[in-house]
Amino acid sequence: MPSNTSTDTTNPEQPSIVSRPIVATIILFGGLAILVLSIGLSIMYGASDIDFITIWQSLTQFDPSSTSHQIIRGLRIPRALAAALIGASLAMSGAIMQGMTRNPLASPSIMGVTAGATFMIAISYAVMPGSSNFTIMLWAFSGAALGTSIVFGIGSLSKSGLTPVKLALAGTAVTALLSSISSGIAIHFNVAKDISFWYAGGVSSIQWMHVQLLAPVAIIGLTIALLLANSITVLNLGDDVAKGLGQQTIITKLTGTLVVLLLTGAAVSVSGTIGFIGLVIPHITRFLVGVNYRWIIPCSAILGGLLLVIADTVSRMVNPPFETPVGTITALVGVPFFLYLARREGSGIR
Amino acid sequence: MNKKINKAWLVAIGLVAAIIVTLLLNLNLGVVRIAPVDVFKTLTGSGNEQNSMILFHFRLPRMVIALLIGAAMAVSGAILQSVTHNDLADPGILGINSGAGFAVVLYIFYFQGNVPDIGALSVFLLPLASLVGSTIAAILIYTISWKNGVSPIRLILVGIGINSAFAALIIIFQLKMDPNDFMRATVWLSGNISGTDWTYVLAILPWMFILIPFAMYKASALNTLNLGDDIAKGLGTHVERERRILLFIAVALAGASVSVGGGIAFLGLVIPHLARKIVGVRHESFLPITALMGAFLLLAADTIGRNILSPSEIPVGLVVSVIGGSYFIYLLSKT
């Protein structure tokens, strides 16, 4: 592995920017290849297994009368693509959040972003049932913004400032508060079934129009994030350093937050709450490629997409023919990692 | 000191009065309104059949459960906070509740269907299953966060993690149930006491009557532990032994409550804070006040949940989360 040959590897005390472009390139291209492969597997396995030749045929010579072809084109392909896009979006927003706040625990599900989006979607189900997907997505954006601003608002109100643990706790409290109100709304307006189906976090009901909504958002998010990447790398050294180097930290933070809201809002509006991807993937990526965000952001996107596609495939195999919400699979993968972080970081931060 | 004790008595009397008022209010509110006069008649045994059915079979057991669980959760949180020197400890946040919840879901999934004969007995076994779950969760949390001692922050973070893991496991098993059980489990997990009858009261009554007085009997040990390990050792306390006994009481109280009331978070966090503010940290007065306040809050929350959006009922756990979550956020922004 080329990573072992580099001399400046992990010394946590040193604030120098460790970057491993070779590893990153390998991840980008190798990861992309594996991602395509796993999307293929995800298309093959399901309630009925479909062999590779049929999949190929459905792409090259589509036969509308064949059920398998219908399943592949109408259900499986959009589902796999959406899973990849959602995973990528969540992982990117996690990476941006962690980079900007220098907070190892920052991630959309922990910081109240997802809970906020859920809350607004519950309201939209209650007051305007039968909204279009696009409208629901707008509600989700506003909710994501709401959740984030509450959490950060509490953090900045506090006298001892915005510590990592405080953000995590505020996120937990806001999540509990908002999801309780959402459940209350759901019960009262009798939309509990619609919402809990959506809330459990699933990509099972995805159609092409969801992909059409997700893809542009993910591409726009990725582009802006890449443009911001250098600023985030500098910001990750600390606000003072960034200011000293002449950076407009406020502008970076504002743009970064907007990208996070865009990516998370879109992902949540389609798939409900899928936790821990935004937390775990950026850490793994940073461990692999170093702390240059120009590499971290695209690599996180690839690895996040990969994880969610695999998790989605697994979720169909746990209890066939029923589907297990993919959020539970990512939680079971993510929790051990979270515990590891809590053990490692918990002693240093307060 | 004397002033504080007097104050504690005053607060206690006030709380008991508030509980009685809420109880009476609760008896006449609801989908079927029963006029206060009829409530009085029914209670003294001269009411009509329908009213006494509603009061004695539906409203009264539910209120008794609310009082018991509220007291138990609050005391559990108070013990956890004192023993771990951690102002943010709460059985809900720490994942003890979800551990108990998972055990109960497993129990319903594997045994409820297979042993139809035991009927009422299964209700009595529920707290036991729940206790096993909460104990396992507590041991997991404690060992994972142990690294040259348990720092409060690490304990909370590990708790949040364990909580999500159990929540995910619960969903996986819930989905394997048939739709009927699924709905029941969902409502129960969000903290609900609407389906309770006297069997449930009997099932948890012994736990409460042993554990809560035992906790109060241990008040002086809690006082010394709260001073810090070194001072407690200097005063001749077996620190580790006392800590384990007390932790077990806290976990058992949480487990028993969860088995009947489901996941009710934030109650164990908020109440001890309020109680400490009012009567100080002497556990002889702090614990009883905590119990009374917890009982009152849960009863009040249930009253709100039952009536605010009538005729649909909001599970009491959600109401408590809204109240408790807001208070928790206020606490965070103050420190």
Side-chain angles (χ1 to χ4, degrees), chain A residues 5 15 26 91 102 105 162 189 226 235 243 256 320 322 337 339:
Chain A
T5 57
I26 294 174
R102 307 181 69 202
L105 293 173
L162 212 63
F189 289 94
L226 282 177
L235 201 56
K243 274 185 194 139
F322 302 106
F337 190 80
L339 292 180

Side-chain angles (χ1 to χ4, degrees), chain A residues 180-204:
Chain A
S180 298
I181 301 178
S182 315
S183 309
I185 293 171
I187 293 171
H188 182 60
F189 289 94
N190 216 0
V191 286
K193 213 176 136 203
D194 302 337
I195 291 178
S196 64
F197 182 71
W198 169 89
Y199 181 82
V203 286
S204 54

Side-chain angles (χ1 to χ4, degrees), chain A residues 49-127:
Chain A
D49 292 351
I50 298 169
D51 60 87
F52 183 71
I53 299 161
T54 323
I55 294 175
W56 187 251
Q57 277 173 349
S58 81
L59 289 176
T60 51
Q61 30 194 267
F62 180 58
D63 173 13
S65 62
S66 149
T67 331
S68 310
H69 286 199
Q70 294 276 17
I71 291 177
I72 293 169
R73 280 215 157 180
L75 298 173
R76 298 250 173 109
I77 294 181
R79 178 175 183 164
L81 288 180
L85 287 169
I86 292 164
S89 303
L90 291 174
M92 277 194 284
S93 38
I96 298 170
M97 287 174 95
Q98 290 175 10
M100 287 198 315
T101 59
R102 307 181 69 202
N103 183 340
L105 293 173
S107 79
S109 54
I110 294 183
M111 312 293 265
V113 185
T114 20
T118 319
F119 173 64
M120 288 310 272
I121 289 177
I123 291 183
S124 87
Y125 270 112
V127 291

Side-chain angles (χ1 to χ4, degrees), chain A residues 154 158-160 165-166 169-170 172-173 176-177 180 183 187-188 276 319 324-325 328 335 338-339 342-343, chain B residues 88 144 146-147 153-154 156-158 160-161 175-176 266 309 312-313 315 318 321-322 328-329 332-335:
Chain A
I154 297 162
S158 122
K159 283 174 200 139
S160 55
V165 169
K166 194 156 281 168
L169 289 176
T172 312
L177 187 64
S180 298
S183 309
I187 293 171
H188 182 60
F276 287 101
N319 186 21
T324 310
T328 60
V335 163
F338 182 85
L339 292 180
R343 263 181 79 83
Chain B
L88 300 174
I144 293 178
W146 181 273
K147 190 167 144 190
I153 299 285
R154 216 180 308 129
I156 294 280
L157 289 179
V158 168
I160 292 175
L175 287 176
K176 288 177 180 253
F266 288 110
L309 291 180
S312 38
E313 278 194 7
L318 299 181
S321 276
V322 172
F328 185 62
I329 289 169
L332 277 176
S333 61
K334 283 260 292 193
T335 49

Side-chain angles (χ1 to χ4, degrees), chain B residues 241-260:
Chain B
R241 198 187 67 192
E242 293 292 332
R243 200 201 315 267
R244 277 189 203 132
I245 295 174
L246 284 161
L247 275 178
F248 179 76
I249 299 175
V251 168
L253 279 172
S257 316
V258 169
S259 70
V260 175

Side-chain angles (χ1 to χ4, degrees), chain B residues 54-77:
Chain B
I54 293 176
L55 287 191
F56 287 112
H57 277 264
F58 295 109
R59 296 203 182 152
L60 216 49
R62 178 170 179 167
M63 286 186 284
V64 174
I65 286 279
L67 291 173
L68 286 175
I69 292 179
M73 282 280 182
V75 170
S76 167

